[in-house]
Amino acid sequence: MRFGRIATVLAVVAAMTASACGGSSSSSGSSSGGGAKKIALLLPESKTARYESKDRPLFEAKVKSLCSDCQVLYSNANQDAAAQQSQADAALTNGANVLVLDAVDGKAAAAIAQKAKQQKVPVVSYDRLIQNANGVDVYISFDNHKVGQLQGQALLQGLASKPDPTIVMINGSPTDANAAQFKAGAHSVLDGKVKIAKEYDTPDWSPDQAQNEAQQALTALGNKVDGVYAANDGTAGGAIAAMKAAGIKAPFPPVTGQDAELAGIQRVVVGEQYMTVYKAIKPEAEGAAELAVSLAQGKGLPSGMAKSKQNNGTTDVPSELLTPVAVTKQNVNDTVVKDGFWPKDQICTAQYADACKAAGL
Ligand code: BGC
């Protein structure tokens, strides 16, 4: 095991080095001039599939296409806010010309933004808005209140045949400002229309923790749960595992999700998960890359981008908000497949072939 851990550490170091070098032979990493710049991408965790499978590669590719001798300094905090603080410090010490920060803890990240500002390094708040801070130059994300509304509306649709339905709510991490918006959006639709018997905020967005929460709720309610609001696909997977372990059989009560991650889409196709929310990560990651390169090169915000504002508790931050889309079995084809987010053959592996056929895929 010891050897295994050393091997893992070596692999991580090798990956970080490769990423920091970015394959750019001519890069000097100099902070002057309009060319070679260092762009730090700081992502929050890796249990949720999107970050390593979509955000990171799409961002890195776009930076490369916009600025062939720019370097991306990549780090992932694995849900540890203190680790993210150190990673941001390391990026600044390393001469980063811009920070693109997806904060583990929106409030704690104010210190990162402040420090960057002191060093005149611009900050792009990526996907999650850094709270109560000056020094945030721009924010790019989705309309997160709308995400919660779409989840709530779909859940009501899935519960349409149930009189006085009882649901359980499994929200996201209490330190993620987005989670509060998803939750508020969902409540704005669900309150007064369903009985919310149990509700949890899930530390670290942990799927295992979500499974424990769902298990507790099912036990307390004697399995009498008509639907589950789960804030993303990871927590939905946890809730569904708990339902299966509690002996609940298909047809499953409707469960919501978010991210259109591959496992989530497959559960939607096979009827285990009622819906997910598709957020097109390509325009988000590529937009962030455009903002970052422009800011790093001292050109300010690109014209035509970030024309709206979001208040972070201290100031109005120029913002670019993209539109989320609800996905059920009926529109998998017209959304994630049509958009190239997941090719049909990746969704419809042998195990899902029949379900895919039935869903018209
Ligand atoms: C993101 C979601 C993601 C969640 C867990 C949120 O801030 O917007 O897409 O599922 O964090 O990482």
Side-chain angles (χ1 to χ4, degrees):
M1 284 310 97
R2 193 133 208 261
F3 177 75
R5 208 171 300 146
I6 292 168
T8 311
V9 170
L10 289 177
V12 169
V13 170
M16 283 176 75
T17 313
S19 176
C21 292
S24 56
S25 50
S26 63
S27 172
S28 66
S30 141
S31 62
S32 60
K37 296 291 174 191
K38 290 183 177 176
I39 296 179
L41 175 64
L42 300 137
L43 294 184
E45 56 135 324
S46 45
K47 280 201 178 163
T48 301
R50 58 171 285 181
Y51 301 108
E52 297 293 339
S53 75
K54 298 281 181 188
D55 296 86
R56 178 187 182 182
L58 288 166
F59 181 87
E60 289 182 336
K62 186 67 178 179
V63 167
K64 202 162 207 185
S65 82
L66 292 169
C67 172
S68 59
D69 52 2
C70 284
Q71 293 179 26
V72 175
L73 310 175
Y74 175 70
S75 16
N76 190 309
N78 288 316
Q79 280 295 12
D80 182 339
Q84 189 163 60
Q85 172 82 55
S86 317
Q87 291 171 344
D89 287 346
L92 291 171
T93 306
N94 235 325
N97 300 105
V98 63
L99 301 186
V100 178
L101 175 61
D102 194 342
V104 172
D105 181 322
K107 291 191 178 124
I112 298 178
Q114 233 92 55
K115 187 163 183 186
K117 190 179 165 68
Q118 278 160 14
Q119 301 190 13
K120 301 203 169 21
V121 173
V123 174
V124 177
S125 193
Y126 183 65
D127 197 69
R128 302 176 180 175
L129 184 56
I130 300 164
Q131 302 292 299
N132 307 336
N134 286 307
V136 182
D137 292 76
V138 65
Y139 170 52
I140 181 161
S141 187
F142 286 82
D143 179 341
N144 292 311
H145 192 261
K146 177 94 191 281
V147 170
Q149 288 178 318
L150 292 177
Q151 293 170 320
Q153 283 154 1
L155 191 54
L156 289 184
Q157 187 185 307
L159 290 167
S161 63
K162 292 267 170 194
D164 304 323
T166 294
I167 70 156
V168 172
M169 287 187 75
I170 297 183
N171 302 307
S173 163
T175 66
D176 175 0
N178 284 355
Q181 287 187 283
F182 305 145
K183 179 174 168 178
H187 272 291
S188 75
V189 172
L190 294 169
D191 288 1
K193 305 222 170 63
V194 295
K195 179 175 177 224
I196 302 169
K198 297 270 173 201
E199 178 164 12
Y200 306 87
D201 290 332
T202 309
D204 298 342
W205 284 96
S206 158
D208 298 340
Q209 190 59 38
Q211 183 169 345
N212 292 338
E213 291 162 356
Q215 189 196 326
Q216 260 179 43
L218 288 165
T219 305
L221 301 168
N223 279 6
K224 290 197 177 56
V225 173
D226 298 309
V228 176
Y229 167 87
N232 75 348
D233 288 344
T235 51
I240 292 162
M243 292 200 289
K244 287 182 178 171
I248 294 173
K249 303 239 158 26
F252 289 99
V255 178
T256 63
Q258 167 181 195
D259 285 340
E261 63 181 45
L262 187 55
I265 288 290
Q266 287 172 324
R267 286 193 299 264
V268 168
V269 169
V270 86
E272 288 184 357
Q273 184 176 324
Y274 186 72
M275 69 88 70
T276 183
V277 176
Y278 171 47
K279 301 191 299 187
I281 296 172
K282 196 166 195 275
E284 186 184 27
E286 293 187 344
E290 275 177 60
L291 294 166
V293 168
S294 183
L295 287 168
Q297 293 178 338
K299 296 179 185 157
L301 296 177
S303 62
M305 283 186 86
K307 292 294 177 210
S308 66
K309 303 257 185 229
Q310 290 288 303
N311 193 278
N312 74 353
T314 298
T315 183
D316 283 339
V317 180
S319 299
E320 181 79 21
L321 293 189
L322 303 160
T323 305
V325 178
V327 179
T328 58
K329 202 188 276 195
Q330 282 67 42
N331 66 345
V332 168
N333 204 19
D334 291 337
T335 53
V336 290
V337 173
K338 210 178 225 166
D339 221 15
F341 196 69
W342 296 117
K344 206 181 291 186
D345 57 349
Q346 252 177 288
I347 301 170
C348 300
T349 53
Q351 192 188 343
Y352 297 97
D354 292 345
C356 277
K357 206 177 270 172
L361 278 169

